[in-house]
Amino acid sequence: MAVTTPAAQKQAVAAFESLGLRTELAEAAAALGWKSPSPVQQQAIPLLIQGRDVIGLAETGSGKTAAFALPILQGLLSSDAKRTCAFYALILSPTRELALQIKEQVEALGSCIAVRCAALVGGIDLASQAVALGKAPHIVVGTPGRVVDHLSNTKGFSLKLLKHLVLDEADRLLHMDFEQEIDQILKVAPKERRTQLFSATMTSKVAKLQRACLADPVKVEVTTKYQTVATLRQQFAFVPAKFKDCYLAYFLTEVAGSAAMVFTRTCDSSRRLALLLRNLGFGAVPIHGHMSQPKRIGALNKFKGGERSLLICTDVASRGLDIPAVDVVINYNVPTNSKDYVHRVGRTARAGRSGRALTLVTQYDVELFQRIEALTGQRMEQFSAPEDAVMLLLERTNEAQRIATIQMKDGDKDKSGKRKGKRAGDDEDDRDMLTHKHYKKRY
């Protein structure tokens, strides 16, 4: 909730100043609507201002971005930093979307000092990013693979002057096999730097990385267990696998008008489900790793802006993304890793708001579902879905499934049978939605 009164604004500024932040930065934080520092910010910011290396263990949505961004921006305010400010900090992120979100938040917090920030992510032209690097940005945010590409190929881009290195969502970075790229970055980064490592959990790989790149770090631990917020209503529905799409359609009609994220296990599943739901009349857009970056950004912006009410996504959207006013999270596929459940449902019920999560459990998912309840220490409420009411949607759902299958085949192959660059389902403006030649007019 935004700070609205002068008294509340003044109180918020004082709360951030108490951590040792300069007034300009405290005012920037208050201007974003933050009433007070989050627990991870309270613990990490004073240590980082003192120049310590920090390893932060905090759950998703805990305010980690500001925890590492504000001390970096404070360093840029110093006179020494102003003289050698190009490539002052590098922030590594596991996904493109999270990197772009971090860039946006850094620019918002640093607007008072005209901070220059560049994003280096895949799916976007290398030349345009090279132009951005040529403008000597203060802070570079990127995915490890693309950062290594530019270190190897972009003239003038170097980490010789780097003062701060941040590894955000370190457990995810390592889970996605970025170890080799991170090693390459560490080899060219100066040893005299400040390093910050933030992770949701301390895995053996994260511990190894900590020993390799942090000097006498201080551990900041906000939570020691995976948990969900009290304002989240968690439900499950035990459904036959063959009727899962029908139950999903029924639930979406029950929450009509709500902004919902639907998580699937694979990219193809996201594509198929987006097409199916469009054929049923729902405003659905997909986001997954096989989409081009402009389409991923476009889909995300349409969902954020309220133009589309459903975002069908893989776990590429489960970490770190701050999407305002997500009312419902649906686990179409039960996550195989129980910890991913916490990250998924963390997209709703943020910043004190209420939210709702539904997990569709088939006869093949019972063990995975039980692991989630054991991890969170909570028993979920069963969602009531009368079978006769659900089955009223069966004929329409079966037809939508058939058409979605045809649309995917049409999108994957051209007349010669070769794969095309554009895939049906990735572009929410494709004419093969409701007007597809195979769609029956009676629906």
Side-chain angles (χ1 to χ4, degrees), residues 35 43 94 142 176 231 245 273 299 348 358 388 438:
K35 292 183 178 181
Q43 295 184 48
M176 296 173 70
T231 53
D245 290 342
L273 205 57
T348 186
L358 175 73
D388 54 349
H438 298 287

PDB file of all heavy atoms in Angstrom, residues 35 43 94 142 176 231 245 273 299 348 358 388 438:
ATOM      1  N   LYS A  35       6.579   1.505   3.409  1.00  0.00           N
ATOM      2  CA  LYS A  35       6.404   2.188   4.688  1.00  0.00           C
ATOM      3  C   LYS A  35       7.595   1.998   5.612  1.00  0.00           C
ATOM      4  O   LYS A  35       7.920   2.875   6.417  1.00  0.00           O
ATOM      5  CB  LYS A  35       5.141   1.668   5.384  1.00  0.00           C
ATOM      6  CG  LYS A  35       3.850   2.048   4.681  1.00  0.00           C
ATOM      7  CD  LYS A  35       2.655   1.555   5.468  1.00  0.00           C
ATOM      8  CE  LYS A  35       1.347   1.975   4.817  1.00  0.00           C
ATOM      9  NZ  LYS A  35       0.176   1.510   5.591  1.00  0.00           N
ATOM     10  N   GLN A  43      18.435  -6.154   8.176  1.00  0.00           N
ATOM     11  CA  GLN A  43      19.651  -6.857   8.565  1.00  0.00           C
ATOM     12  C   GLN A  43      20.801  -6.651   7.586  1.00  0.00           C
ATOM     13  O   GLN A  43      21.957  -6.507   7.993  1.00  0.00           O
ATOM     14  CB  GLN A  43      19.368  -8.355   8.693  1.00  0.00           C
ATOM     15  CG  GLN A  43      18.397  -8.713   9.802  1.00  0.00           C
ATOM     16  CD  GLN A  43      18.239 -10.213   9.942  1.00  0.00           C
ATOM     17  OE1 GLN A  43      19.213 -10.968   9.991  1.00  0.00           O
ATOM     18  NE2 GLN A  43      17.003 -10.680   9.998  1.00  0.00           N
ATOM     19  N   PRO A  94      19.032 -15.477 -12.549  1.00  0.00           N
ATOM     20  CA  PRO A  94      18.840 -16.727 -13.295  1.00  0.00           C
ATOM     21  C   PRO A  94      17.940 -16.609 -14.515  1.00  0.00           C
ATOM     22  O   PRO A  94      18.031 -17.416 -15.429  1.00  0.00           O
ATOM     23  CB  PRO A  94      18.242 -17.671 -12.252  1.00  0.00           C
ATOM     24  CG  PRO A  94      17.561 -16.781 -11.274  1.00  0.00           C
ATOM     25  CD  PRO A  94      18.397 -15.536 -11.222  1.00  0.00           C
ATOM     26  N   GLY A 142      22.262  -8.859 -15.534  1.00  0.00           N
ATOM     27  CA  GLY A 142      22.162  -9.799 -16.632  1.00  0.00           C
ATOM     28  C   GLY A 142      22.133 -11.247 -16.208  1.00  0.00           C
ATOM     29  O   GLY A 142      22.335 -11.584 -15.037  1.00  0.00           O
ATOM     30  N   MET A 176      20.299 -24.195 -12.589  1.00  0.00           N
ATOM     31  CA  MET A 176      20.166 -24.053 -14.037  1.00  0.00           C
ATOM     32  C   MET A 176      21.505 -24.236 -14.753  1.00  0.00           C
ATOM     33  O   MET A 176      21.664 -23.878 -15.920  1.00  0.00           O
ATOM     34  CB  MET A 176      19.556 -22.689 -14.371  1.00  0.00           C
ATOM     35  CG  MET A 176      18.134 -22.516 -13.856  1.00  0.00           C
ATOM     36  SD  MET A 176      17.468 -20.855 -14.055  1.00  0.00           S
ATOM     37  CE  MET A 176      17.262 -20.759 -15.820  1.00  0.00           C
ATOM     38  N   THR A 231      -2.002 -14.884   4.836  1.00  0.00           N
ATOM     39  CA  THR A 231      -3.114 -14.326   4.055  1.00  0.00           C
ATOM     40  C   THR A 231      -3.410 -15.138   2.790  1.00  0.00           C
ATOM     41  O   THR A 231      -4.260 -14.752   1.991  1.00  0.00           O
ATOM     42  CB  THR A 231      -2.797 -12.876   3.649  1.00  0.00           C
ATOM     43  OG1 THR A 231      -1.515 -12.838   2.986  1.00  0.00           O
ATOM     44  CG2 THR A 231      -2.761 -11.969   4.871  1.00  0.00           C
ATOM     45  N   ASP A 245      -8.363 -30.869 -17.594  1.00  0.00           N
ATOM     46  CA  ASP A 245      -8.677 -29.626 -18.304  1.00  0.00           C
ATOM     47  C   ASP A 245     -10.086 -29.147 -17.993  1.00  0.00           C
ATOM     48  O   ASP A 245     -10.343 -27.939 -17.886  1.00  0.00           O
ATOM     49  CB  ASP A 245      -8.530 -29.825 -19.815  1.00  0.00           C
ATOM     50  CG  ASP A 245      -7.089 -29.986 -20.248  1.00  0.00           C
ATOM     51  OD1 ASP A 245      -6.196 -29.620 -19.462  1.00  0.00           O
ATOM     52  OD2 ASP A 245      -6.857 -30.480 -21.368  1.00  0.00           O
ATOM     53  N   LEU A 273      -2.073 -25.304 -23.276  1.00  0.00           N
ATOM     54  CA  LEU A 273      -3.100 -24.833 -22.351  1.00  0.00           C
ATOM     55  C   LEU A 273      -3.566 -23.423 -22.699  1.00  0.00           C
ATOM     56  O   LEU A 273      -4.756 -23.100 -22.585  1.00  0.00           O
ATOM     57  CB  LEU A 273      -2.552 -24.873 -20.924  1.00  0.00           C
ATOM     58  CG  LEU A 273      -3.582 -24.989 -19.797  1.00  0.00           C
ATOM     59  CD1 LEU A 273      -4.435 -26.231 -19.983  1.00  0.00           C
ATOM     60  CD2 LEU A 273      -2.870 -25.021 -18.449  1.00  0.00           C
ATOM     61  N   ALA A 299       3.921 -10.479 -23.327  1.00  0.00           N
ATOM     62  CA  ALA A 299       2.918 -11.246 -22.579  1.00  0.00           C
ATOM     63  C   ALA A 299       2.886 -10.809 -21.118  1.00  0.00           C
ATOM     64  O   ALA A 299       1.811 -10.626 -20.530  1.00  0.00           O
ATOM     65  CB  ALA A 299       3.230 -12.737 -22.676  1.00  0.00           C
ATOM     66  N   THR A 348       1.184 -14.616  -5.328  1.00  0.00           N
ATOM     67  CA  THR A 348      -0.020 -13.957  -4.838  1.00  0.00           C
ATOM     68  C   THR A 348       0.108 -13.745  -3.330  1.00  0.00           C
ATOM     69  O   THR A 348       1.069 -14.201  -2.705  1.00  0.00           O
ATOM     70  CB  THR A 348      -1.282 -14.787  -5.157  1.00  0.00           C
ATOM     71  OG1 THR A 348      -2.442 -14.032  -4.782  1.00  0.00           O
ATOM     72  CG2 THR A 348      -1.281 -16.118  -4.430  1.00  0.00           C
ATOM     73  N   LEU A 358      -4.736 -22.845  -5.828  1.00  0.00           N
ATOM     74  CA  LEU A 358      -5.400 -24.129  -6.050  1.00  0.00           C
ATOM     75  C   LEU A 358      -4.426 -25.073  -6.737  1.00  0.00           C
ATOM     76  O   LEU A 358      -3.793 -24.710  -7.726  1.00  0.00           O
ATOM     77  CB  LEU A 358      -6.649 -23.972  -6.920  1.00  0.00           C
ATOM     78  CG  LEU A 358      -7.335 -25.291  -7.304  1.00  0.00           C
ATOM     79  CD1 LEU A 358      -8.061 -25.881  -6.105  1.00  0.00           C
ATOM     80  CD2 LEU A 358      -8.298 -25.098  -8.469  1.00  0.00           C
ATOM     81  N   ASP A 388     -21.175 -33.228 -11.421  1.00  0.00           N
ATOM     82  CA  ASP A 388     -22.181 -32.990 -12.461  1.00  0.00           C
ATOM     83  C   ASP A 388     -22.029 -31.600 -13.075  1.00  0.00           C
ATOM     84  O   ASP A 388     -22.220 -31.413 -14.284  1.00  0.00           O
ATOM     85  CB  ASP A 388     -23.589 -33.179 -11.910  1.00  0.00           C
ATOM     86  CG  ASP A 388     -23.864 -32.340 -10.671  1.00  0.00           C
ATOM     87  OD1 ASP A 388     -22.907 -31.771 -10.104  1.00  0.00           O
ATOM     88  OD2 ASP A 388     -25.039 -32.239 -10.258  1.00  0.00           O
ATOM     89  N   HIS A 438     -10.586 -24.416 -37.985  1.00  0.00           N
ATOM     90  CA  HIS A 438     -11.122 -25.683 -37.498  1.00  0.00           C
ATOM     91  C   HIS A 438     -12.155 -25.486 -36.393  1.00  0.00           C
ATOM     92  O   HIS A 438     -12.776 -26.443 -35.959  1.00  0.00           O
ATOM     93  CB  HIS A 438      -9.982 -26.556 -36.961  1.00  0.00           C
ATOM     94  CG  HIS A 438      -8.976 -26.922 -38.009  1.00  0.00           C
ATOM     95  ND1 HIS A 438      -9.226 -27.830 -38.997  1.00  0.00           N
ATOM     96  CD2 HIS A 438      -7.716 -26.473 -38.211  1.00  0.00           C
ATOM     97  CE1 HIS A 438      -8.158 -27.957 -39.765  1.00  0.00           C
ATOM     98  NE2 HIS A 438      -7.230 -27.131 -39.312  1.00  0.00           N
TER      99      HIS A 438
END
